[in-house]
Amino acid sequence: MAHSYISTYFHCVFSTKERRKLITPDLEERLWPFLGGIARNHNMKALAIGDIEDHVHLLLSLPSTLAIAKAIQVIKGESSKWVRDNFPEHQQFSGQEGYGAFTIGISQKDVTVAYIQNQKEHHRQRTFQEEYLSFLAKHGIEYDPRYVWG
C-alpha cells in the first residue's frame, strides 16, 4: 500500500479543576471555537464540542501520529492558558489532572455528536459524576473509587 488510512474517534471528557463551575455562557461562547482551533492547529478534527459549567466533552478524530494523551494535554493546556490570559475573572481556571477518552466506532459518531451537543439537557437529569462513572462502566474500565475524583 502506498498510503496509510486510519479512522479513530475519541469521546473525550475532562472537568475543571475540583469541578468548579467556571464555564459561564460568555466563556462557553468563545471557548468552543478556541478548542476547535487548537484541534485544527494540531491536525485533529473536533467533530463536536459541548460543555456544562464544570466539564467539557469533545469528539475528536486524531491523526495516526498523535497519541490521545498528547492530544488531551495540548487541548487542556492551551485552553487553560488562553482562558486565564483573556478572562481576568477566571484566573483560577484550569483542567482537572485526569480525563476520560473513550473510543467509538463510526456507527456511533452521529449518536455521540448528538449526545455532546445536548449536554445542558442531559445534565438536568444526571450529574457529571453519574455520567462519568457510567462511561467507565460502559467501556469496561476498572477503577478505584478512592481515586476517580482526585
Side-chain angles (χ1 to χ4, degrees), residues 43-87:
N43 298 317
M44 297 178 256
K45 292 179 185 170
L47 302 167
I49 301 169
D51 65 41
I52 190 118
E53 300 106 344
D54 64 351
H55 70 281
V56 174
H57 288 255
L58 298 113
L59 179 57
L60 296 175
S61 175
L62 303 184
S64 63
T65 57
L66 185 61
I68 186 63
K70 182 63 175 178
I72 297 295
Q73 176 189 25
V74 165
I75 287 172
K76 287 171 56 178
E78 290 185 19
S79 63
S80 292
K81 181 181 181 329
W82 176 79
V83 169
R84 289 190 304 271
D85 289 350
N86 290 282
F87 295 85

Side-chain angles (χ1 to χ4, degrees), residues 1 11 13 20 26 33 39 41 44 50 52 71 77 82 98 100 125 142 144:
M1 294 177 136
H11 180 175
V13 183
R20 294 182 190 139
D26 289 340
N41 289 341
M44 297 178 256
I52 190 118
W82 176 79
Q125 301 167 13
E142 294 181 19
D144 185 330

Side-chain angles (χ1 to χ4, degrees), residues 1-8 61-64:
M1 294 177 136
H3 297 283
S4 298
Y5 301 98
I6 66 162
S7 174
T8 59
S61 175
L62 303 184
S64 63

